Amino acid sequence: MTSLDLSPAPGAASRARRLRAQTAMELRLTVRNGEQMVVTFVIPLLLLIVGSRSDRFIDSDRPLDVLAPGVLGLAIVSTSFTSLAIATAFERRYGVLKRLGATPLSRSGLLGGKVGAVAILQVAQFAVLGGLAVALGWRPEEPVAGVVWLLVLGLLGTIAFGGLGLLLAGTLRAEATLALANLIYVLLLVGGGLLLPLDRHPEAARGLVTLLPSGALGEGLREAFATGSPGTFVVVVLAVWAVVAAAAAGRWFRWE
Amino acid sequence: MHYGRGDGQVRAVDGLSLQVAPGTVTAILGPNGAGKTTTIETCEGFRRPQSGQVRVLGLDPVGDAEELRPRVGVMLQSGGAWLGVRAGEMLRHMASLYAHPMPVEPLVERLGMTSFARTTYRRLSGGQKQRLSLAMAIVGRPELVFLDEPTAGLDPQSRRATWDLVDELRRHGVTTVLTTHYMDEAQQLSDFVHIIDAGRVIASGTPTELVADGAQNTIRLRTRAGLDTDSLAKELPAGATVAEPEPGHYVLTTGVDPAVLHRLTGWCAAHDVLVDSVLVEHQTLEDRFLELTGRELR
Ligand SMILES: Nc1ncnc2c1ncn2[C@@H]1O[C@H](COP(=O)(O)OP(=O)(O)O)[C@@H](O)[C@H]1O
Ligand SMILES: [Mg+2]
């Protein structure tokens, strides 16, 4: 039998160390999960490649001007909403949130780890998808302002969609969250103003689409890369969604 | 402590009161649904009691959670790890959250986890999950550990290994509170036992005290048929009974001590009775439990 010192020596690791460990763990688990990688990388990549090669999809001589910002918006939704909701729902179901909430990490550290992992994944998405778009010939009119707005709208969109994702995960059963998070991802992708510009949506739906966080994100990014500014309306819509979704998640999220 | 509201309300823990001395092992023993998990999780700060007071290491489990978390190790009754995480990886992650964790490799060896350290949680057997969960409870070097049914579903060897570990924790000065519905576990492992049923403590004490508090023991005597049972009963302490359910087969219910046995054999000698066999049955915690609750544990 190995001798092992079991005597008490309680103490928490530093906050920075706990957060780093939790973020790294979340990242490892996400990257290892095939379905999450399909939603966050494979689908956006395929859309970018297929969309840029076919004019059936977007009727323009510069399809990437429309497509690339939309795919970046989709990437934001895939990590902050779909992937986050599904992962968190199962953590809740299997008592991971409960167990880690009883360690020095605590609930705030759990949330911090998620924020960190989502942010790192999104930067990787931006690099991979943006890089591929440029390689395919994307030359935005306003690359610098576009990237700055990508970060700003990305932050607001992540708070809005992250709040909605956590709201699902923290109130519904894990299976229901899994189904809904995927379904909403597909619906927003097709008809939520994310990938296709507003003028490709039915006229009656346009008013609604501009008020959706997905519509605001998609339109805002397309405008920002084309003109250097997304317009005030889009920023306000996203900011309102961010505040409401975060508050709702804080109010109704159940850890067990 | 109750769950739900209105008509569907369940009173899971009802005026339960108990204390735990530092450096001891305390067992909370009770049948399924007795309120063991609810009690222990209230101490762990997972739920706030609607009435009454809980203090753990002198602190409020909910209000002082931040101070308590590093000092208290928790083993949930089930779950607590990602499905896709490897056993060793989970343990290393837990260790990284504490200031002075146990070295992970020796702990893995000590708990016999080497063979499945690289297996993902979803593919572990029930017993392997239990061992990981136990390791997760102690890796941060807590001074107090709560173990919720640490040996449920374990094979005899693993059960023994868990008992040894709890015993060793006690020798290192760690306080342990565990729940169980195994009588022998409570009797062998713990310094104090609280038997709970329907959310209340129905008996407390050391295992020996609990058994000694109990009713009388049984002596089974075999010899020739037709003895004068009244005469024999008079020879024994007050309250003793003697029955002859089958010819030559006597059941004596009485407190048993050496003097009582001496009087029994003395009476036999005086009446020229040659005893074939005499068997003293001591009460176990299980008998005591049945006596207190009138029901089967498992
Ligand atoms: N979340 C809950 N909601 C409603 N009732 C519950 C809940 N958890 C436990 N109970 C009920 O409370 C009682 C005590 O449960 P528990 O503490 O888990 O018992 P034990 O751990 O001793 O088996 C049981 O009747 C159980 O059905
Ligand atoms: Mg229980």
Side-chain angles (χ1 to χ4, degrees):
Chain A
M1 194 185 292
T2 333
S3 84
L4 185 64
D5 184 9
L6 300 174
S7 55
S14 73
R15 183 182 303 270
R17 177 143 184 255
R18 294 184 324 242
L19 243 138
R20 215 173 328 122
Q22 183 66 14
T23 305
M25 191 75 205
E26 292 254 4
L27 268 178
R28 269 204 304 280
L29 290 165
T30 310
V31 170
R32 222 182 272 167
N33 184 319
E35 290 150 42
Q36 309 250 25
M37 285 294 104
V38 167
V39 169
T40 51
F41 280 93
V42 177
I43 292 179
L45 272 173
L46 286 178
L47 287 171
L48 196 57
I49 294 168
V50 174
S52 66
R53 293 290 151 96
S54 147
D55 48 12
R56 262 190 53 227
F57 200 40
I58 286 155
D59 186 19
S60 155
D61 52 345
R62 294 180 58 171
L64 278 167
D65 284 350
V66 177
L67 193 63
V71 164
L72 291 174
L74 180 70
I76 291 168
V77 175
S78 69
T79 35
S80 64
F81 177 73
T82 313
S83 169
L84 179 70
I86 294 170
T88 309
F90 282 95
E91 287 176 342
R92 177 166 165 257
R93 145 84 80 83
Y94 291 111
V96 178
L97 298 181
K98 184 174 180 178
R99 181 64 190 87
L100 291 180
T103 66
L105 184 67
S106 81
R107 291 175 175 179
S108 64
L110 270 166
L111 192 62
K114 290 187 182 302
V115 171
V118 165
I120 291 171
L121 273 176
Q122 287 179 339
V123 169
Q125 286 177 310
F126 295 162
V128 170
L129 297 168
L132 179 69
V134 169
L136 290 170
W138 182 36
R139 297 290 177 270
E141 297 294 329
E142 296 283 350
V144 178
V147 168
V148 171
W149 279 110
L150 174 66
L151 298 180
V152 174
L153 299 180
L155 180 67
L156 287 176
T158 295
I159 299 172
F161 279 103
L164 295 173
L166 291 179
L167 188 63
L168 285 189
T171 51
L172 303 179
R173 287 191 316 122
E175 287 76 13
T177 301
L178 176 71
L180 263 180
N182 281 319
L183 180 69
I184 292 173
Y185 171 83
V186 173
L187 288 180
L188 293 184
L189 161 68
V190 178
L194 207 48
L195 209 55
L196 297 179
L198 211 53
D199 54 31
R200 294 291 309 257
H201 288 68
E203 219 166 323
R206 285 181 200 165
L208 178 68
V209 170
T210 54
L211 291 175
L212 290 179
S214 53
L217 191 58
E219 286 300 295
L221 289 174
R222 279 184 288 272
E223 275 300 299
F225 277 105
T227 69
S229 164
T232 322
F233 181 71
V234 155
V235 179
V236 171
V237 169
L238 267 185
V240 169
W241 274 100
V243 169
V244 171
R251 169 78 181 74
W252 284 296
F253 190 89
R254 290 280 157 267
W255 293 86
E256 285 182 46
Chain B
M1 177 74 219
H2 39 254
Y3 293 106
R5 289 166 216 283
D7 289 345
Q9 195 168 350
V10 177
R11 191 168 281 262
V13 171
D14 182 10
L16 181 145
S17 172
L18 55 84
Q19 269 196 356
V20 171
T24 61
V25 177
T26 298
I28 298 176
L29 178 67
N32 290 325
K36 302 183 295 294
T37 298
T38 309
T39 301
I40 212 165
E41 290 195 347
T42 308
C43 298
E44 290 161 350
F46 289 124
R47 42 196 109 255
R48 206 188 283 273
Q50 287 92 353
S51 61
Q53 202 193 32
V54 184
R55 284 291 172 272
V56 172
L57 302 171
L59 299 167
D60 171 4
V62 179
D64 304 318
E66 189 170 339
E67 197 178 334
L68 275 173
R69 278 188 215 106
R71 300 172 65 187
V72 175
V74 168
M75 178 178 179
L76 298 179
Q77 188 170 347
S78 64
W82 289 282
L83 291 187
V85 76
R86 298 192 177 90
E89 185 182 26
M90 186 73 209
L91 196 53
R92 270 193 304 281
H93 180 55
M94 292 293 293
S96 71
L97 304 176
Y98 294 89
H100 324 284
M102 289 179 197
V104 170
E105 277 315 309
L107 181 59
V108 162
E109 272 176 47
R110 174 69 174 76
L111 285 175
M113 294 171 55
T114 313
S115 65
F116 60 87
R118 295 194 50 78
T119 307
T120 52
Y121 188 76
R122 74 160 57 79
R123 288 175 30 224
L124 298 182
S125 74
Q128 292 171 336
K129 286 180 182 164
Q130 291 282 83
R131 262 182 277 175
L132 171 60
S133 187
L134 179 62
M136 284 162 59
I138 64 171
V139 69
R141 288 183 187 278
E143 56 196 279
L144 167 64
V145 292
F146 289 105
L147 310 176
D148 199 355
E149 299 201 15
T151 63
L154 291 189
D155 60 42
Q157 286 90 334
S158 312
R159 254 183 110 197
R160 178 61 65 179
T162 302
W163 291 5
D164 288 346
L165 185 76
V166 171
D167 202 45
E168 209 178 321
L169 284 169
R170 167 172 41 205
R171 274 186 274 122
H172 283 86
V174 177
T175 308
T176 302
V177 178
L178 58 89
T179 73
T180 180
H181 51 198
Y182 296 115
M183 291 293 173
D184 53 341
E185 186 157 294
Q187 195 153 12
Q188 296 227 4
L189 197 55
S190 49
D191 303 302
F192 296 99
V193 180
H194 301 278
I195 301 182
I196 73 172
D197 192 24
R200 292 170 176 278
V201 175
I202 54 176
S204 294
T206 65
T208 327
E209 280 168 5
L210 278 176
V211 172
D213 277 353
Q216 315 230 304
N217 294 305
T218 300
I219 301 175
R220 295 183 187 279
L221 184 73
R222 277 173 185 271
T223 180
R224 66 176 151 79
L227 297 186
D228 181 352
T229 53
D230 287 345
S231 158
L232 176 52
K234 279 199 200 89
E235 189 66 22
L236 299 175
T241 62
V242 180
E244 189 180 3
E246 288 170 51
H249 190 164
Y250 301 87
V251 177
L252 289 58
T253 316
T254 173
V256 177
D257 59 25
V260 168
L261 285 178
H262 186 72
R263 265 143 77 186
L264 170 63
T265 50
W267 184 90
C268 290
H271 292 77
D272 196 24
V273 172
L274 181 61
V275 173
D276 291 331
S277 75
V278 58
L279 182 68
V280 180
E281 289 180 356
H282 286 285
Q283 208 190 21
T284 64
L285 202 50
E286 181 141 13
D287 302 325
R288 181 73 178 124
F289 184 86
L290 292 178
E291 197 179 293
L292 284 165
T293 64
R295 50 192 177 109
E296 291 286 342
L297 247 198
R298 306 203 67 210

